[in-house]
């Protein structure tokens, strides 16, 4: 599971950095919020989740870990796309707001499931113990 997270984290880092470079090159920073979400939720949080799996969760591939992974990735991707559409003025806030709210809740549920994974993993089963 850690490898999946690192690969998606690097994918978001590449996409987020490209968006940042485009913003700098065009001097149009309307996508700043999109860029920040891609870098923080996509890259940083995914990378932190990879470390959690590698260092403390025994790199589990349980059903709960798989569901948590996909919820985080789907929610983050939907947020990035929705924010891109919103801040690119391709769609109105009234239209995209329910989509963004749902995606945010999905990411939040993914965070709760990561906490559940930690609670369910006995301390003696963790690699550093």
């Amino acid at each position: 599971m850690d490898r999946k997270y690192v690969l998606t984290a690097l994918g978001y880092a590449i996409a987020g950095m490209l968006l940042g470079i485009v913003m700098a090159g065009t001097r149009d920073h309307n996508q700043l919020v999109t860029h920040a979400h891609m870098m923080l939720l996509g890259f940083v949080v995914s990378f932190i989740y990879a470390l959690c799996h590698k260092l403390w969760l025994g790199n589990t591939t349980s059903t709960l870990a798989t569901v948590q992974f996909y919820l985080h990735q789907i929610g983050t991707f939907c947020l990035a796309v929705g924010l891109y559409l919103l801040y690119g003025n391709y769609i109105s806030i009234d239209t995209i707001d329910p989509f963004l709210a749902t995606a945010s809740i999905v990411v939040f549920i993914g965070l709760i499931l990561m906490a559940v994974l930690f609670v369910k993993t006995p301390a003696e089963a963790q690699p550093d113990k």
Side-chain angles (χ1 to χ4, degrees):
M1 193 58 69
D2 61 334
R3 184 171 170 80
K4 283 184 181 181
Y5 267 116
V6 169
L7 289 172
T8 56
L10 292 173
Y12 277 112
I14 291 167
M17 291 293 288
L18 281 173
L19 181 57
I21 290 167
V22 168
M23 288 189 310
T26 61
R27 298 178 190 223
D28 178 0
H29 294 87
N30 285 336
Q31 293 292 349
L32 181 64
V33 174
T34 308
H35 167 75
H37 278 76
M38 289 172 77
M39 294 305 294
L40 290 174
L41 273 180
F43 174 58
V44 175
V45 174
S46 289
F47 197 83
I48 289 170
Y49 285 169
L51 291 175
C52 290
H53 276 280
K54 185 72 170 178
L55 298 175
W56 296 288
L57 297 177
N59 208 14
T60 182
T61 56
S62 67
T63 301
L64 181 60
T66 302
V67 168
Q68 188 278 331
F69 172 82
Y70 284 108
L71 284 177
H72 177 74
Q73 298 307 324
I74 290 166
T76 300
F77 180 79
C78 289
L79 270 174
V81 170
L83 290 170
Y84 184 84
L85 293 172
L86 175 64
Y87 288 100
N89 293 315
Y90 298 109
I91 197 164
S92 72
I93 185 69
D94 295 330
T95 303
I96 199 70
D97 195 45
F99 181 78
L100 292 173
T102 302
S104 297
I105 291 167
V106 169
V107 170
F108 183 63
I109 292 169
L111 174 62
I112 291 169
L113 291 181
M114 180 56 77
V116 169
L117 283 167
F118 263 85
V119 170
K120 287 183 68 168
T121 302
E124 60 274 3
Q126 295 177 0
D128 64 344
K129 295 290 177 188

Short mmCIF file of all heavy atoms in Angstrom, two decimals, residues 102-125:
data_model
loop_
_atom_site.label_atom_id
_atom_site.label_comp_id
_atom_site.label_asym_id
_atom_site.label_seq_id
_atom_site.Cartn_x
_atom_site.Cartn_y
_atom_site.Cartn_z
N THR A 102 -19.15 17.20 -1.46
CA THR A 102 -19.12 15.74 -1.40
C THR A 102 -17.69 15.21 -1.45
O THR A 102 -17.32 14.33 -0.67
CB THR A 102 -19.95 15.14 -2.56
OG1 THR A 102 -21.29 15.64 -2.47
CG2 THR A 102 -19.96 13.62 -2.52
N ALA A 103 -16.88 15.76 -2.33
CA ALA A 103 -15.49 15.34 -2.43
C ALA A 103 -14.74 15.62 -1.12
O ALA A 103 -13.94 14.79 -0.67
CB ALA A 103 -14.80 16.05 -3.60
N SER A 104 -15.02 16.75 -0.50
CA SER A 104 -14.38 17.08 0.78
C SER A 104 -14.77 16.08 1.86
O SER A 104 -13.92 15.64 2.65
CB SER A 104 -14.78 18.48 1.23
OG SER A 104 -14.33 19.45 0.32
N ILE A 105 -16.03 15.70 1.88
CA ILE A 105 -16.50 14.72 2.86
C ILE A 105 -15.85 13.35 2.61
O ILE A 105 -15.47 12.65 3.55
CB ILE A 105 -18.04 14.63 2.85
CG1 ILE A 105 -18.62 15.94 3.42
CG2 ILE A 105 -18.54 13.43 3.64
CD1 ILE A 105 -20.11 16.12 3.19
N VAL A 106 -15.67 12.99 1.35
CA VAL A 106 -15.02 11.72 1.01
C VAL A 106 -13.58 11.72 1.51
O VAL A 106 -13.12 10.73 2.10
CB VAL A 106 -15.10 11.45 -0.51
CG1 VAL A 106 -14.20 10.29 -0.92
CG2 VAL A 106 -16.54 11.18 -0.93
N VAL A 107 -12.85 12.83 1.32
CA VAL A 107 -11.48 12.93 1.82
C VAL A 107 -11.48 12.84 3.35
O VAL A 107 -10.63 12.17 3.95
CB VAL A 107 -10.81 14.24 1.35
CG1 VAL A 107 -9.48 14.46 2.05
CG2 VAL A 107 -10.61 14.21 -0.16
N PHE A 108 -12.44 13.48 3.99
CA PHE A 108 -12.55 13.44 5.45
C PHE A 108 -12.81 12.02 5.95
O PHE A 108 -12.21 11.58 6.93
CB PHE A 108 -13.64 14.41 5.92
CG PHE A 108 -13.78 14.49 7.41
CD1 PHE A 108 -12.74 14.95 8.20
CD2 PHE A 108 -14.95 14.09 8.03
CE1 PHE A 108 -12.87 15.03 9.58
CE2 PHE A 108 -15.09 14.16 9.40
CZ PHE A 108 -14.04 14.63 10.18
N ILE A 109 -13.68 11.30 5.27
CA ILE A 109 -13.95 9.90 5.64
C ILE A 109 -12.67 9.08 5.49
O ILE A 109 -12.36 8.22 6.32
CB ILE A 109 -15.10 9.31 4.82
CG1 ILE A 109 -16.42 10.00 5.21
CG2 ILE A 109 -15.21 7.80 5.00
CD1 ILE A 109 -17.58 9.70 4.28
N GLY A 110 -11.89 9.36 4.44
CA GLY A 110 -10.61 8.69 4.27
C GLY A 110 -9.68 8.95 5.44
O GLY A 110 -8.97 8.04 5.91
N LEU A 111 -9.68 10.17 5.95
CA LEU A 111 -8.86 10.50 7.11
C LEU A 111 -9.33 9.73 8.35
O LEU A 111 -8.52 9.18 9.10
CB LEU A 111 -8.91 12.00 7.38
CG LEU A 111 -8.22 12.50 8.65
CD1 LEU A 111 -6.74 12.20 8.61
CD2 LEU A 111 -8.48 13.98 8.83
N ILE A 112 -10.63 9.67 8.53
CA ILE A 112 -11.18 8.92 9.67
C ILE A 112 -10.79 7.44 9.56
O ILE A 112 -10.40 6.82 10.55
CB ILE A 112 -12.71 9.09 9.76
CG1 ILE A 112 -13.04 10.52 10.15
CG2 ILE A 112 -13.32 8.09 10.73
CD1 ILE A 112 -14.51 10.88 10.02
N LEU A 113 -10.86 6.88 8.35
CA LEU A 113 -10.47 5.48 8.17
C LEU A 113 -8.99 5.26 8.43
O LEU A 113 -8.60 4.20 8.93
CB LEU A 113 -10.86 4.99 6.77
CG LEU A 113 -12.35 4.85 6.51
CD1 LEU A 113 -12.60 4.34 5.09
CD2 LEU A 113 -13.01 3.95 7.53
N MET A 114 -8.16 6.24 8.13
CA MET A 114 -6.73 6.10 8.46
C MET A 114 -6.57 6.04 9.98
O MET A 114 -5.78 5.24 10.49
CB MET A 114 -5.92 7.27 7.88
CG MET A 114 -4.44 7.19 8.20
SD MET A 114 -3.59 5.67 7.67
CE MET A 114 -3.41 5.95 5.93
N ALA A 115 -7.32 6.85 10.69
CA ALA A 115 -7.27 6.80 12.16
C ALA A 115 -7.75 5.44 12.66
O ALA A 115 -7.16 4.86 13.59
CB ALA A 115 -8.12 7.92 12.75
N VAL A 116 -8.79 4.90 12.04
CA VAL A 116 -9.30 3.58 12.42
C VAL A 116 -8.22 2.52 12.18
O VAL A 116 -8.03 1.62 13.00
CB VAL A 116 -10.60 3.24 11.66
CG1 VAL A 116 -10.99 1.79 11.83
CG2 VAL A 116 -11.73 4.17 12.10
N LEU A 117 -7.52 2.61 11.06
CA LEU A 117 -6.43 1.66 10.78
C LEU A 117 -5.38 1.69 11.89
O LEU A 117 -4.88 0.65 12.31
CB LEU A 117 -5.78 1.98 9.43
CG LEU A 117 -6.55 1.54 8.19
CD1 LEU A 117 -5.97 2.20 6.94
CD2 LEU A 117 -6.53 0.04 8.05
N PHE A 118 -5.05 2.88 12.37
CA PHE A 118 -4.08 2.98 13.45
C PHE A 118 -4.62 2.38 14.74
O PHE A 118 -3.90 1.66 15.44
CB PHE A 118 -3.69 4.45 13.70
CG PHE A 118 -2.43 4.82 13.00
CD1 PHE A 118 -2.44 5.22 11.68
CD2 PHE A 118 -1.22 4.76 13.66
CE1 PHE A 118 -1.27 5.55 11.03
CE2 PHE A 118 -0.03 5.10 13.02
CZ PHE A 118 -0.06 5.49 11.69
N VAL A 119 -5.87 2.65 15.05
CA VAL A 119 -6.47 2.11 16.27
C VAL A 119 -6.54 0.59 16.21
O VAL A 119 -6.29 -0.10 17.21
CB VAL A 119 -7.86 2.73 16.51
CG1 VAL A 119 -8.60 2.02 17.63
CG2 VAL A 119 -7.73 4.22 16.81
N LYS A 120 -6.86 0.05 15.05
CA LYS A 120 -7.02 -1.40 14.91
C LYS A 120 -5.69 -2.15 14.86
O LYS A 120 -5.67 -3.36 15.06
CB LYS A 120 -7.81 -1.71 13.63
CG LYS A 120 -9.29 -1.40 13.74
CD LYS A 120 -10.01 -1.79 12.49
CE LYS A 120 -10.02 -3.29 12.38
NZ LYS A 120 -10.91 -3.83 11.37
N THR A 121 -4.60 -1.46 14.58
CA THR A 121 -3.30 -2.12 14.49
C THR A 121 -2.69 -2.16 15.88
O THR A 121 -2.34 -1.13 16.44
CB THR A 121 -2.35 -1.36 13.53
OG1 THR A 121 -2.96 -1.28 12.24
CG2 THR A 121 -1.02 -2.07 13.41
N PRO A 122 -2.55 -3.34 16.45
CA PRO A 122 -1.97 -3.44 17.80
C PRO A 122 -0.53 -2.94 17.79
O PRO A 122 0.21 -3.13 16.82
CB PRO A 122 -2.03 -4.92 18.12
CG PRO A 122 -2.74 -5.60 17.01
CD PRO A 122 -2.89 -4.63 15.88
N ALA A 123 -0.12 -2.33 18.89
CA ALA A 123 1.22 -1.77 19.00
C ALA A 123 2.29 -2.83 18.78
O ALA A 123 3.32 -2.57 18.15
CB ALA A 123 1.41 -1.10 20.36
N GLU A 124 2.06 -4.04 19.26
CA GLU A 124 3.07 -5.09 19.09
C GLU A 124 3.20 -5.56 17.65
O GLU A 124 4.19 -6.16 17.28
CB GLU A 124 2.81 -6.28 20.01
CG GLU A 124 1.48 -6.98 19.80
CD GLU A 124 0.32 -6.34 20.57
OE1 GLU A 124 0.51 -5.34 21.24
OE2 GLU A 124 -0.79 -6.88 20.47
N ALA A 125 2.18 -5.29 16.81
CA ALA A 125 2.24 -5.69 15.41
C ALA A 125 2.94 -4.65 14.55
O ALA A 125 3.29 -4.91 13.41
CB ALA A 125 0.84 -5.92 14.86
#
